[in-house]
Amino acid sequence: RSLHCDYEEAIRALTHAEDTLIGVYGESHIEVARIEDAKGKCFLMQGHSDKAMEYHHKALKKKIDVLGPINSSVLSTRMNVAAAHRVRQELDEAATVYREVLNVQKLSLQREIHPHKRKQLTDDIGLTMRMLREVQREKNRSLDSMGSIIEEKKEHWEADWGAEDGRDEFQSQAETFSNYDCF
């Protein structure tokens, strides 16, 4: 058995549970939102990031409507949205969502007085900060990679045309061609 098959089975089971809950409680029930979020995770694990994003957003809207924007279940779904953005290499969007979650977590920590909940929030903040650092590292690697490509192209240019002479020759050719009306 492959892991892919296990996710297919999970999605089938979640879909069955979702249909049952919708039939009993209606489309906007919080448990329907939790199932949609779980289905989103399964789709993401299968590599279907578009489908994952669709289900996470459906779940997020329902959770916010029922629980409000700062509920821990809402924040969990926001983290899932950020993870889907990461998989899609939408790193700026992922970072934005992680920052939004982090701001809510910090605000919640300031208001919370129960020691157990404060500990959980502190742990959650640590996880969110780690995810944000990882996204920043991915962005930096991407920029480094782009810089390497540019440097490589520059080296090829200089090897083919010469460091300065080739550019001067190319510039004079460009100026000559620009004198013609067709350019």
Side-chain angles (χ1 to χ4, degrees):
R1 282 174 63 124
S2 71
L3 199 54
H4 182 76
C5 289
D6 289 343
Y7 287 120
E8 287 295 328
E9 287 178 32
I11 290 169
R12 278 194 296 278
L14 288 166
T15 300
H16 177 71
E18 179 182 26
D19 293 342
T20 302
L21 284 170
I22 290 171
V24 173
Y25 298 110
E27 180 81 28
S28 61
H29 194 271
I30 191 63
E31 292 305 321
V32 173
R34 289 186 174 121
I35 288 172
E36 288 171 340
D37 203 24
K39 284 172 73 172
K41 283 182 174 182
C42 289
F43 284 122
L44 191 62
M45 296 302 290
Q46 287 181 313
H48 303 300
S49 61
D50 290 341
K51 202 98 162 134
M53 192 67 82
E54 173 190 337
Y55 276 89
H56 289 314
H57 278 289
K58 285 169 57 174
L60 184 60
K61 182 182 177 345
K62 288 176 186 168
K63 285 183 175 187
I64 289 172
D65 289 347
V66 174
L67 302 171
I70 63 171
N71 182 276
S72 61
S73 184
V74 172
L75 296 181
S76 176
T77 301
R78 287 187 191 277
M79 294 288 281
N80 292 336
V81 168
H85 280 301
R86 279 181 74 186
V87 167
R88 296 159 58 115
Q89 292 298 300
E90 297 167 347
L91 300 179
D92 289 333
E93 291 85 348
T96 297
V97 175
Y98 284 133
R99 281 189 203 96
E100 290 169 355
V101 169
L102 186 60
N103 289 336
V104 172
Q105 289 170 329
K106 287 178 178 180
L107 181 63
S108 297
L109 181 63
Q110 290 172 353
R111 295 178 177 173
E112 185 57 60
I113 59 171
H114 190 274
H116 176 71
K117 290 182 180 179
R118 287 185 62 82
K119 167 77 169 91
Q120 183 60 51
L121 279 166
T122 302
D123 292 346
D124 291 346
I125 287 170
L127 173 65
T128 305
M129 290 175 70
R130 191 181 96 224
M131 295 293 112
L132 198 49
R133 280 192 306 271
E134 287 179 11
V135 167
Q136 191 58 51
R137 276 196 287 274
E138 289 172 29
K139 286 172 67 173
N140 290 343
R141 277 194 299 270
S142 179
L143 290 174
D144 290 346
S145 176
M146 286 174 46
S148 297
I149 290 169
I150 291 169
E151 191 60 35
E152 186 178 311
K153 296 286 184 195
K154 180 180 169 190
E155 288 172 7
H156 285 307
W157 172 270
E158 290 173 352
D160 291 344
W161 292 94
E164 293 300 323
D165 295 335
R167 288 187 204 139
D168 291 340
E169 181 181 329
F170 180 76
Q171 182 64 34
S172 68
Q173 287 177 357
E175 289 170 3
T176 300
F177 285 125
S178 68
N179 292 330
Y180 293 103
D181 289 335
C182 64
F183 292 102

